[in-house]
Amino acid sequence: MKKFSDNSVDLIFADPPYHLQLPEGRRLKRGDGSEVIPVADGWDKFESYEEYDSFTENWLRGCQRVLKPTGTIWVMGMYHNIFRVGKIMQDLGLWFLNDVIWVKIDAMPNFKCRRFTNNHETLIWAVKNKNCKNYTFNYEFLKMMNDGRQMKDTDWTFPICRGPERLRDENGIKSHPTQKPLKLIQQVLLTASRKGDLVLDPFMGSGTTAVVAHALHRNWVGIEKEKRYVELANMRIENYIQTK
Amino acid sequence: MKKFSDNSVDLIFADPPYHLQLPEGRRLKRGDGSEVIPVADGWDKFESYEEYDSFTENWLRGCQRVLKPTGTIWVMGMYHNIFRVGKIMQDLGLWFLNDVIWVKIDAMPNFKCRRFTNNHETLIWAVKNKNCKNYTFNYEFLKMMNDGRQMKDTDWTFPICRGPERLRDENGIKSHPTQKPLKLIQQVLLTASRKGDLVLDPFMGSGTTAVVAHALHRNWVGIEKEKRYVELANMRIENYIQTK
DNA sequence: GCAAGGCATGAATCTACAT
DNA sequence: GATGTAGATTCATGCCTTG
């Protein structure tokens, strides 16, 4: 297997497993009796926080190595995992630029009424190390698209991935449990990359990053452990190229 | 010194030092030549991440000990520190309910145009441990005050602390660099405490928590290391009681 | 008295270049 | 690499001055 060169990637977008720790065997039902299908795949199962931390440190270390000094890394998460991930990123010397809040507008309500509705995910945006000042940030473009005002870390409001964009199998079952919306990844690439840049997604899943990168004329590399998702992503990308 | 009893506190609100790591000697100036006054107090200075982590684990361990199984703890922070704090909270066994986003509406812009405007702070809301189910959460009240809709973790929008509410000395200099808005603390107490409950603020600062607790008929205990802030908070509370 | 405009300021890991 | 200095740049709000 060919090894990535050091300092070779312009932008990394990572949506790692969230380590949700849902209790086994419990079912959450909506008021109409229908069942909420949880993320219960093997790739989100870890024995302990320690195992999750070790997994996290390993892939982050690799990402930091291949990231250019002018590049940036984006890591998504929710409260289950993002604090552990962020702490490990800091320990590795990655230097935070912002934590951006993706506010959803149609998230699932809290059925048990014992907490606030989970209506956001957090994106940590960082450079390779503290000394990296010359990173790509398309400030003027974002400002223009934001009514002439500087973009804020709370200005990212997009719907979750649903409707025709959501990939489903022949039975209508969603093909990937955590497919991310195209607009979210588009915003990441428009913020911090240029035409011709190399984009890496170490958890490619259904291939959203690849599709967006292709559409915006960025080069891309995706990594995915589950063979069925690699096939899914390949089909999706081929479809996109043909129908465009 | 009398020691707090185990399991004796109904609600903890903690706004710890953020460990900002601003470069020494550098000045950030506005276009008109005026200077941005940074948070550069000794209490926010730590030698390293390790020292900050150790400090954090110590105070959190104490908070967890005194927190009732029916109580909750709220911890505020920004991207500089909140990820480390959250990871340590999870390691201690504190169980997260939500991460709530306080969206500001009038935060300082990013003068250098190299990042997004920092326009939010994060509040982690947690219970003593995973098994605590019977915590205080005034769900119906919040729903009523939110136009009949379930409150979301992104529904907290308050201005920063300025205007007449902001404490200043005779020269107009702010008395505390990080005074929090009354409405923010009010929202915390209205969410997760009842009349007569005991509220603990381990970083009392200018005493905002005490004033709000008094106004909402909660009992309170505040801890503060800096003598000048203790005096400031005492004066503020006396003023509030007299003028009410 | 009222409206318009000037000015101060806020938890900031905020630049580029020369020595 | 650390340090010093010149230089370019921002948004919402509220108080105060001016007309």
Side-chain angles (χ1 to χ4, degrees):
Chain A
M1 186 174 157
K2 196 178 168 187
K3 204 175 168 186
F4 259 99
S5 300
D6 294 0
N7 307 310
S8 60
V9 174
D10 294 291
L11 186 144
I12 299 172
F13 176 82
D15 184 27
Y18 286 6
H19 188 29
L20 286 181
Q21 302 182 79
L22 296 167
E24 301 280 348
R26 303 272 188 83
R27 299 298 185 182
L28 183 62
K29 291 193 175 177
R30 300 186 183 89
D32 62 2
S34 68
E35 217 171 83
V36 176
I37 309 295
V39 177
D41 291 4
W43 49 260
D44 197 42
K45 290 273 184 294
F46 296 86
E47 284 299 316
S48 60
Y49 283 140
E50 288 70 24
E51 191 188 313
Y52 184 79
D53 292 350
S54 169
F55 166 81
T56 301
E57 183 181 329
N58 279 337
W59 71 260
L60 277 169
R61 203 181 281 282
C63 285
Q64 186 179 30
R65 182 180 67 78
V66 302
L67 186 62
K68 285 185 188 176
T70 55
T72 58
I73 178 170
W74 298 73
V75 185
M76 274 190 77
M78 293 179 69
Y79 68 85
H80 310 81
N81 71 319
I82 196 63
F83 299 101
R84 314 194 73 77
V85 169
K87 193 263 188 186
I88 292 167
M89 290 178 72
Q90 285 186 318
D91 287 348
L92 289 173
L94 290 159
W95 194 247
F96 291 177
L97 299 172
N98 285 111
D99 57 334
V100 176
I101 306 301
W102 167 31
V103 178
K104 306 173 185 181
I105 58 178
D106 48 6
M108 190 163 60
N110 185 292
F111 293 112
K112 301 286 187 192
C113 305
R114 295 293 293 146
R115 305 179 181 204
F116 295 106
T117 309
N118 290 330
N119 199 52
H120 77 279
E121 302 198 21
T122 301
L123 294 102
I124 296 177
W125 182 35
V127 284
K128 190 181 180 86
N129 63 60
K130 187 174 180 172
N131 300 318
C132 297
K133 302 288 184 188
N134 195 30
Y135 52 88
T136 299
F137 177 44
N138 300 318
Y139 173 81
E140 290 297 341
F141 171 77
L142 295 176
K143 184 176 173 181
M144 182 181 74
M145 300 301 287
N146 194 38
D147 294 330
R149 279 186 295 273
Q150 194 173 73
M151 189 84 82
K152 300 175 183 175
D153 58 15
T154 50
D155 278 342
W156 288 32
T157 304
F158 307 106
I160 59 174
C161 186
R162 36 189 318 192
E165 180 183 334
R166 187 85 198 214
L167 301 173
R168 294 180 186 278
D169 68 13
E170 57 277 7
N171 300 315
I173 308 295
K174 51 193 176 189
S175 304
H176 192 286
T178 65
Q179 186 182 342
K180 292 296 175 295
L182 290 159
K183 282 190 183 169
L184 179 72
I185 318 280
Q186 176 182 263
Q187 191 68 27
V188 170
L189 267 57
L190 290 176
T191 295
S193 72
R194 300 193 177 102
K195 198 173 160 179
D197 275 0
L198 179 58
V199 174
L200 167 66
D201 185 340
F203 303 97
M204 190 169 60
S206 58
T208 309
T209 302
V211 171
V212 175
H214 187 93
L216 297 178
H217 307 287
R218 274 71 165 156
N219 300 304
W220 58 271
V221 175
I223 299 171
E224 176 53 51
K225 180 176 148 192
E226 303 283 326
K227 195 169 181 178
R228 66 188 189 280
Y229 294 149
V230 175
E231 290 164 0
L232 178 70
N234 277 334
M235 279 186 53
R236 186 179 181 198
I237 294 155
E238 278 172 34
N239 279 340
Y240 172 74
I241 293 173
Q242 284 172 4
T243 59
K244 135 183 115 147
Chain B
M1 187 173 155
K2 196 177 169 186
K3 206 175 168 186
F4 258 99
S5 299
D6 294 1
N7 307 311
S8 60
V9 174
D10 294 290
L11 186 144
I12 300 173
F13 176 82
D15 184 26
Y18 288 5
H19 187 26
L20 285 185
Q21 301 182 75
L22 296 168
E24 300 278 350
R26 301 282 182 82
R27 302 294 185 182
L28 182 64
K29 290 192 176 179
R30 301 186 183 86
D32 62 3
S34 70
E35 231 172 72
V36 175
I37 309 295
V39 177
D41 291 6
W43 50 259
D44 197 46
K45 292 268 185 297
F46 296 85
E47 283 298 316
S48 62
Y49 283 139
E50 287 71 24
E51 191 188 311
Y52 184 77
D53 292 350
S54 168
F55 165 81
T56 302
E57 184 182 329
N58 280 338
W59 72 258
L60 277 169
R61 202 180 282 282
C63 284
Q64 185 180 30
R65 181 179 67 79
V66 301
L67 186 64
K68 284 185 187 174
T70 55
T72 57
I73 177 170
W74 299 73
V75 185
M76 276 191 75
M78 293 179 71
Y79 66 86
H80 315 79
N81 71 317
I82 196 63
F83 299 100
R84 315 192 73 78
V85 169
K87 192 264 186 187
I88 292 167
M89 289 177 72
Q90 284 185 320
D91 288 348
L92 289 174
L94 291 160
W95 193 251
F96 290 178
L97 300 172
N98 283 111
D99 57 332
V100 176
I101 306 300
W102 167 31
V103 179
K104 308 174 185 181
I105 60 179
D106 49 2
M108 187 164 64
N110 185 292
F111 293 110
K112 300 293 185 189
C113 308
R114 294 296 291 148
R115 304 180 179 200
F116 296 105
T117 308
N118 292 332
N119 200 51
H120 77 279
E121 302 198 20
T122 301
L123 293 100
I124 296 177
W125 183 36
V127 284
K128 190 179 179 89
N129 63 59
K130 187 175 179 173
N131 300 318
C132 297
K133 303 287 186 190
N134 196 28
Y135 52 89
T136 299
F137 176 44
N138 302 317
Y139 173 81
E140 290 298 340
F141 171 77
L142 295 176
K143 185 175 174 182
M144 181 182 74
M145 299 301 287
N146 195 38
D147 295 329
R149 282 186 295 271
Q150 197 173 67
M151 188 83 82
K152 300 175 184 176
D153 58 16
T154 50
D155 278 342
W156 288 31
T157 303
F158 307 106
I160 58 176
C161 185
R162 23 184 334 185
E165 180 182 336
R166 188 87 198 213
L167 302 173
R168 294 179 187 279
D169 67 13
E170 58 276 6
N171 300 315
I173 307 296
K174 54 190 177 190
S175 303
H176 192 289
T178 68
Q179 186 183 342
K180 292 297 177 292
L182 290 159
K183 283 190 180 166
L184 178 73
I185 318 281
Q186 176 183 262
Q187 192 67 30
V188 170
L189 266 58
L190 290 176
T191 295
S193 72
R194 299 191 177 103
K195 197 173 160 177
D197 275 0
L198 178 58
V199 174
L200 167 66
D201 184 340
F203 302 96
M204 190 170 59
S206 58
T208 308
T209 302
V211 171
V212 175
H214 187 94
L216 297 177
H217 307 287
R218 274 71 168 156
N219 300 304
W220 58 270
V221 175
I223 299 171
E224 175 54 52
K225 178 177 148 193
E226 304 282 325
K227 195 169 182 181
R228 65 186 189 281
Y229 296 149
V230 175
E231 290 164 1
L232 179 70
N234 277 334
M235 278 187 53
R236 186 181 180 195
I237 295 154
E238 280 172 35
N239 278 339
Y240 172 74
I241 293 173
Q242 284 172 4
T243 61
K244 140 182 108 146

